[in-house]
Amino acid sequence: QTNASITPTLPGDYYVIVSNNSCSDVQSNTIRIIANPNITIQTDQIICEGDTYTITSNNTNASLNTNVTYEWYKDGLPTGITTPSYDVNASNQTVNTTATYYLVATEQNTCTFTSNTVSVTINALPVVNTTPILFEQCDYIPSTLDGIAEMNLTSLYDIITNATPGLTLYYYQDAGLTNAITNPTNYSNTSSPFNQTIYVKAVNEAITPNCTS
């Protein structure tokens, strides 16, 4: 461009060379225009203890930036994480808390941009008794006495859940939790004599997502 002034629309180094007939050309000082990063991060999330949520970032000026550095902040304090994404889990955020996160991006150690803020909540898993529980039931049907008896599995709720209120228990006949017991209040064992293992899943259905143990 040969005008005496210019309004830059793209980043780069700008200077002017002045010519005056037979005199030597004179080059001006250089002005460097740096494009700010334009960062957004995604998105508010609730997870369960044991899960990981990755906060991702997007820079709409990525094609104009050449050397972007990152710094993640949690609740207003730097985390020391300097990657474009950030993994949140129970190792870096306390269970049963909500924390806020944002990302500061800097181009060429000069131009800085602060992203939007997102919040992440980590809910605890139900605390259950993992020690096998012995449930004994007499075969009270005198006409058979075959070791098959009806029992109420839900009567063990307090023992299984450590008396934690509000949990939903699901009962299964296999360790893979595929063969559900649909009648736990009047369940009859399927093997004789005497021994059968029942598997229990505890779900906190009062929160979303449902956290399961």
Side-chain angles (χ1 to χ4, degrees):
Q1 184 170 325
T2 58
N3 296 333
S5 63
I6 185 175
T7 302
T9 58
L10 293 173
D13 292 340
Y14 292 84
Y15 59 89
V16 62
I17 296 177
V18 179
S19 300
N20 185 13
N21 295 326
S22 61
C23 296
S24 300
D25 292 347
V26 176
Q27 180 175 316
S28 72
N29 60 305
T30 299
I31 297 176
R32 172 166 294 176
I33 306 297
I34 300 174
N36 243 349
N38 187 20
I39 303 289
T40 56
I41 60 175
Q42 303 289 330
T43 183
D44 293 349
Q45 189 70 25
I46 302 173
I47 62 174
C48 294
E49 177 185 1
D51 294 336
T52 295
Y53 175 63
T54 301
I55 308 174
T56 58
S57 65
N58 180 55
N59 181 11
T60 58
N61 279 350
S63 63
L64 303 177
N65 296 146
T66 59
N67 185 22
V68 180
T69 56
Y70 301 92
E71 177 72 44
W72 285 92
Y73 287 75
K74 172 189 173 186
D75 294 333
L77 299 175
T79 64
I81 302 301
T82 57
T83 54
S85 62
Y86 185 81
D87 290 338
V88 181
N89 51 51
S91 70
N92 53 29
Q93 180 177 321
T94 304
V95 173
N96 286 331
T97 66
T98 298
T100 57
Y101 296 86
Y102 62 86
L103 177 62
V104 174
T106 303
E107 165 69 358
Q108 299 181 40
N109 294 317
T110 302
C111 296
T112 298
F113 185 89
T114 301
S115 76
N116 58 303
T117 298
V118 301
S119 64
V120 179
T121 300
I122 302 180
N123 289 324
L125 295 177
V127 178
V128 296
N129 186 351
T130 57
T131 302
I133 301 166
L134 178 63
F135 187 9
E136 296 179 315
Q137 176 66 56
C138 296
D139 181 358
Y140 53 84
I141 306 174
S143 61
T144 59
L145 297 178
D146 55 3
I148 303 296
E150 185 177 286
M151 61 202 73
N152 181 6
L153 299 178
T154 65
S155 65
L156 299 176
Y157 178 93
D158 284 350
I159 300 175
I160 295 171
T161 66
N162 299 299
T164 302
L167 301 180
T168 302
L169 300 186
Y170 295 89
Y171 303 84
Y172 299 85
Q173 296 184 123
D174 65 308
L177 307 183
T178 60
N179 190 5
I181 296 172
T182 58
N183 58 336
T185 57
N186 57 345
Y187 174 73
S188 295
N189 57 307
T190 58
S191 62
S192 178
F194 315 129
N195 292 324
Q196 184 176 351
T197 300
I198 302 297
Y199 301 87
V200 183
K201 177 174 68 176
V203 183
N204 186 351
E205 296 182 344
I207 58 177
T208 301
N210 300 156
C211 295
T212 301
S213 292

